[in-house]
Amino acid sequence: YRGEFAFFELDEIVYDVDALDRNPAAPKLPAVVHNFIQFKKGELATVQRILDEIELISLKRTSEGLNETNFTVGVLNCFFLIYLFGAHPEHLWLAYLVEGTYMIPKRFRIMWNARPLNQALYYLDFCWMMNFVGSIVILALMFAGWTDGPHEGEGRRHGGSVSVAAREALFNALLGVSTGPLMGANIALPFVACLFHDVSTMTGLFIHVMPPMVMYTFMWKGDLIREAWPRIFSLSYAEKVRYFPEEGVFFVPGSGLGSVAGNAIALYLLWWIPYVCFMLLVGIDLPRKYNTDGNPANPKYDTVFHSTMRQGACVAIGHVFRGRSKSDSLQQCEDNCFDLVDFFIYMAFHLFAALSAIYVIGYPCFVWRNFHLGMICAVVALAVMRGSRRYTYYATKMYSRTIRKSFKLEETKHQ
């Protein structure tokens, strides 16, 4: 090194080459310096790769909608709906219809383009289908209000093109479903969260929270709705609505029609039975990675059942009901291969939870206005709390975990 420089800097300490020549360890110096330089280069490459990974995460979040515009629109829309719910409840149903017309197709486009599996079949799940039913009913009533003559409104005997009997039956069914299973789903489903920037997550929150809020306005602010929209909603039957049928609190599913609980259970079964048939005939094998002969299946579509099983339900069912090891359950999740016993246990629990919600949550909401309002406030607060956890993760943990993961990978390489 004498021919190139008389001293060099190592860790901010200057060493004299002449002094080092007299040191017995001097012959090892070139190798030490070479290793030090290579170490510095390796550090630089590691840091650069970590920065690239962090940039990829940032781009992913941006592609999901995490930007100033979406966040601002999401926050303002929440303020708008809260204001409308409190100050002008007679118009909340219209906001539900208009916003749903935008958000639900937008979410469908995202689900259709999802990879590695298309998620379009998620829309066959109960919560989505009930929102479709509610939107169709509102549109039908709007159409009837516009086309019927001024003397063919709901207050007359036959109610115009949509009879009073049909209006009452649909009202009872949607009231029970909204204040029961949909309200309960806000508590049970961890992905129902308030992420202002993410239209996909906000749509999931929308279809679970808005129906109970809309039915609150029909139940407890019906006079304002009748006054504002007399051609569409006169709600002449609202005062005589009963929650349970005359034969009692407990009845055979499918009977008890003419009551909130009876109609709600009937509507649930009108979804449950066809959905079970679809899954048995087609759906249960759609996401499987391998055919029964062991060859790759090249799956294209996912279902809510398979998604829920992968998120922990398979392990829980295997442990509690099947005596199955955790490793076997995780392998099933990896292969998207679940048997009929798993499916029937899942659907039986779905049935039990939905019917229980009609009794445990729906009935108190029907009887006590403050309970109904309190449940809405509670599920909204729960959704906000879940969203705050996600934003906290974005701000404090997401990038640090990426850095730790990269350094751990480097340590593994050098061992």
Side-chain angles (χ1 to χ4, degrees), residues 29-333:
L29 180 61
V32 172
V33 174
H34 174 77
N35 291 338
F36 177 76
I37 293 173
Q38 294 302 316
F39 174 76
K40 288 296 184 181
K41 289 181 178 178
E43 271 191 334
L44 180 62
T46 300
V47 172
Q48 185 61 52
R49 193 179 70 254
I50 293 173
L51 291 175
D52 291 340
E53 291 184 11
I54 291 175
E55 185 68 22
L56 285 175
I57 293 175
S58 299
L59 291 174
K60 180 182 178 181
R61 293 289 172 254
T62 303
S63 67
E64 293 174 352
L66 185 53
N67 57 60
E68 297 87 346
T69 301
N70 288 348
F71 189 89
T72 302
V73 172
V75 172
L76 292 178
N77 183 57
C78 289
F79 284 147
F80 168 72
L81 292 177
I82 293 172
Y83 168 76
L84 204 62
F85 179 71
H88 299 284
E90 68 273 17
H91 304 311
L92 186 67
W93 68 271
L94 186 59
Y96 167 75
L97 184 65
V98 172
E99 294 199 8
T101 303
Y102 168 76
M103 297 178 73
I104 292 177
K106 178 74 173 179
R107 171 71 182 269
F108 182 80
R109 181 174 176 272
I110 295 172
M111 295 164 71
W112 181 266
N113 294 322
R115 295 296 180 269
L117 294 176
N118 185 305
Q119 299 174 356
L121 295 179
Y122 285 13
Y123 271 30
L124 298 180
D125 195 52
F126 175 75
C127 297
W128 290 103
M129 295 302 296
M130 293 304 101
N131 277 266
F132 295 150
V133 171
S135 298
I136 291 172
V137 168
I138 292 176
L139 288 173
L141 295 180
M142 291 177 65
F143 180 79
W146 290 332
T147 57
D148 291 344
H151 301 294
E152 295 179 310
E154 187 181 334
R156 289 180 59 81
R157 178 180 178 184
H158 299 291
S161 56
V162 181
S163 68
V164 173
R167 293 170 184 263
E168 182 178 358
L170 292 169
F171 178 84
N172 288 342
L174 292 175
L175 176 61
V177 165
S178 298
T179 57
L182 291 184
M183 185 82 85
N186 287 283
I187 302 172
L189 301 178
F191 57 81
V192 179
C194 188
L195 293 180
F196 301 109
H197 72 279
D198 188 351
V199 66
S200 182
T201 303
M202 290 301 288
T203 304
L205 175 64
F206 179 86
I207 67 166
H208 291 97
V209 170
M210 282 297 289
M213 292 176 65
V214 171
M215 294 313 299
Y216 176 90
T217 63
F218 278 98
M219 273 291 297
W220 308 108
K221 302 291 183 178
D223 54 339
L224 298 178
I225 296 175
R226 286 193 294 267
E227 182 179 350
W229 306 94
R231 294 282 297 273
I232 301 175
F233 309 107
S234 74
L235 302 176
S236 58
Y237 44 79
E239 299 297 331
K240 61 179 182 179
V241 169
R242 62 181 185 273
Y243 199 84
F244 293 113
E246 294 179 353
E247 50 263 37
V249 174
F250 299 103
F251 51 91
V252 177
S255 64
L257 300 180
S259 65
V260 173
N263 288 20
I265 292 174
L267 181 58
Y268 176 82
L269 293 177
L270 286 175
W271 167 83
W272 192 88
I273 294 173
Y275 185 78
V276 169
C277 293
F278 164 77
M279 290 296 295
L280 293 177
L281 295 174
V282 180
I284 197 167
D285 292 327
L286 285 177
R288 293 180 65 163
K289 290 186 177 180
Y290 300 99
N291 296 318
T292 53
D293 57 7
N295 293 322
N298 298 319
K300 295 182 179 179
Y301 296 96
D302 198 10
T303 72
V304 168
F305 163 69
H306 291 83
S307 175
T308 306
M309 293 294 281
R310 292 194 302 269
Q311 293 173 13
C314 180
V315 174
I317 290 174
H319 175 72
V320 176
F321 299 101
R322 308 290 305 276
R324 187 171 56 214
S325 67
K326 183 177 181 180
S327 59
D328 290 341
S329 295
L330 293 176
Q331 186 60 50
Q332 285 185 271
C333 295

